[in-house]
PDB file of all heavy atoms in Angstrom:
ATOM      1  N   ALA A  27      -5.027  -2.504  -2.482  1.00  0.00           N
ATOM      2  CA  ALA A  27      -5.248  -3.947  -2.339  1.00  0.00           C
ATOM      3  C   ALA A  27      -6.501  -4.360  -3.094  1.00  0.00           C
ATOM      4  O   ALA A  27      -7.513  -3.650  -3.088  1.00  0.00           O
ATOM      5  CB  ALA A  27      -5.389  -4.302  -0.862  1.00  0.00           C
ATOM      6  N   TYR A  31      -6.219  -6.985   3.182  1.00  0.00           N
ATOM      7  CA  TYR A  31      -5.697  -7.373   4.503  1.00  0.00           C
ATOM      8  C   TYR A  31      -6.582  -6.683   5.532  1.00  0.00           C
ATOM      9  O   TYR A  31      -6.686  -5.460   5.551  1.00  0.00           O
ATOM     10  CB  TYR A  31      -4.235  -6.918   4.557  1.00  0.00           C
ATOM     11  CG  TYR A  31      -3.682  -6.421   5.875  1.00  0.00           C
ATOM     12  CD1 TYR A  31      -3.645  -7.244   7.004  1.00  0.00           C
ATOM     13  CD2 TYR A  31      -3.140  -5.138   5.971  1.00  0.00           C
ATOM     14  CE1 TYR A  31      -3.102  -6.775   8.200  1.00  0.00           C
ATOM     15  CE2 TYR A  31      -2.585  -4.666   7.156  1.00  0.00           C
ATOM     16  CZ  TYR A  31      -2.575  -5.482   8.269  1.00  0.00           C
ATOM     17  OH  TYR A  31      -2.036  -5.016   9.435  1.00  0.00           O
ATOM     18  N   SER A 163       3.645  -0.271   8.888  1.00  0.00           N
ATOM     19  CA  SER A 163       2.248  -0.328   8.452  1.00  0.00           C
ATOM     20  C   SER A 163       2.131  -1.602   7.612  1.00  0.00           C
ATOM     21  O   SER A 163       2.920  -1.799   6.683  1.00  0.00           O
ATOM     22  CB  SER A 163       1.955   0.910   7.606  1.00  0.00           C
ATOM     23  OG  SER A 163       0.707   0.801   6.988  1.00  0.00           O
ATOM     24  N   GLY A 164       1.180  -2.458   7.968  1.00  0.00           N
ATOM     25  CA  GLY A 164       1.080  -3.761   7.309  1.00  0.00           C
ATOM     26  C   GLY A 164       1.139  -3.665   5.794  1.00  0.00           C
ATOM     27  O   GLY A 164       1.979  -4.295   5.131  1.00  0.00           O
ATOM     28  N   SER A 165       0.267  -2.813   5.218  1.00  0.00           N
ATOM     29  CA  SER A 165       0.164  -2.751   3.763  1.00  0.00           C
ATOM     30  C   SER A 165       1.456  -2.231   3.110  1.00  0.00           C
ATOM     31  O   SER A 165       1.670  -2.426   1.913  1.00  0.00           O
ATOM     32  CB  SER A 165      -1.025  -1.877   3.356  1.00  0.00           C
ATOM     33  OG  SER A 165      -0.898  -0.604   3.952  1.00  0.00           O
ATOM     34  N   ARG A 168       3.890  -4.458   0.932  1.00  0.00           N
ATOM     35  CA  ARG A 168       3.651  -4.738  -0.497  1.00  0.00           C
ATOM     36  C   ARG A 168       4.171  -3.617  -1.383  1.00  0.00           C
ATOM     37  O   ARG A 168       4.326  -3.795  -2.593  1.00  0.00           O
ATOM     38  CB  ARG A 168       2.146  -4.972  -0.738  1.00  0.00           C
ATOM     39  CG  ARG A 168       1.568  -6.165   0.036  1.00  0.00           C
ATOM     40  CD  ARG A 168       0.090  -6.331  -0.306  1.00  0.00           C
ATOM     41  NE  ARG A 168      -0.591  -5.051  -0.174  1.00  0.00           N
ATOM     42  CZ  ARG A 168      -1.650  -4.812   0.607  1.00  0.00           C
ATOM     43  NH1 ARG A 168      -2.180  -5.781   1.320  1.00  0.00           N
ATOM     44  NH2 ARG A 168      -2.191  -3.610   0.664  1.00  0.00           N
ATOM     45  N   HIS A 226      -8.684  -2.834  12.252  1.00  0.00           N
ATOM     46  CA  HIS A 226      -8.040  -4.152  12.352  1.00  0.00           C
ATOM     47  C   HIS A 226      -8.379  -4.780  13.711  1.00  0.00           C
ATOM     48  O   HIS A 226      -8.685  -5.964  13.802  1.00  0.00           O
ATOM     49  CB  HIS A 226      -6.518  -4.024  12.245  1.00  0.00           C
ATOM     50  CG  HIS A 226      -6.005  -3.744  10.857  1.00  0.00           C
ATOM     51  ND1 HIS A 226      -6.134  -4.647   9.829  1.00  0.00           N
ATOM     52  CD2 HIS A 226      -5.358  -2.677  10.326  1.00  0.00           C
ATOM     53  CE1 HIS A 226      -5.579  -4.146   8.734  1.00  0.00           C
ATOM     54  NE2 HIS A 226      -5.106  -2.945   9.004  1.00  0.00           N
ATOM     55  N   ASP A 313     -10.591   1.507  -0.549  1.00  0.00           N
ATOM     56  CA  ASP A 313      -9.712   1.296   0.591  1.00  0.00           C
ATOM     57  C   ASP A 313     -10.596   1.449   1.828  1.00  0.00           C
ATOM     58  O   ASP A 313     -11.800   1.536   1.700  1.00  0.00           O
ATOM     59  CB  ASP A 313      -8.643   2.402   0.550  1.00  0.00           C
ATOM     60  CG  ASP A 313      -7.275   1.838   0.809  1.00  0.00           C
ATOM     61  OD1 ASP A 313      -7.207   0.856   1.561  1.00  0.00           O
ATOM     62  OD2 ASP A 313      -6.295   2.392   0.284  1.00  0.00           O
TER      63      ASP A 313
HETATM   64  O1  PMV B 401      -1.609  -1.081   6.460  1.00  0.00           O
HETATM   65  P1  PMV B 401      -2.770  -0.638   7.252  1.00  0.00           P
HETATM   66  O2  PMV B 401      -2.634  -1.049   8.695  1.00  0.00           O
HETATM   67  O3  PMV B 401      -3.059   0.820   7.062  1.00  0.00           O
HETATM   68  O4  PMV B 401      -4.066  -1.425   6.753  1.00  0.00           O
HETATM   69  C1  PMV B 401      -4.509  -1.344   5.423  1.00  0.00           C
HETATM   70  C2  PMV B 401      -5.809  -1.980   5.242  1.00  0.00           C
HETATM   71  C3  PMV B 401      -6.452  -1.822   3.886  1.00  0.00           C
HETATM   72  O5  PMV B 401      -5.889  -0.744   3.182  1.00  0.00           O
HETATM   73  C4  PMV B 401      -7.926  -1.544   4.085  1.00  0.00           C
HETATM   74  C5  PMV B 401      -6.342  -3.092   3.059  1.00  0.00           C
HETATM   75  C6  PMV B 401      -4.998  -3.416   2.461  1.00  0.00           C
HETATM   76  O6  PMV B 401      -4.734  -4.603   2.293  1.00  0.00           O
HETATM   77  O7  PMV B 401      -4.238  -2.496   2.105  1.00  0.00           O
END
Side-chain angles (χ1 to χ4, degrees):
Y31 145 61
S163 170
S165 55
R168 299 182 310 237
H226 286 295
D313 225 328

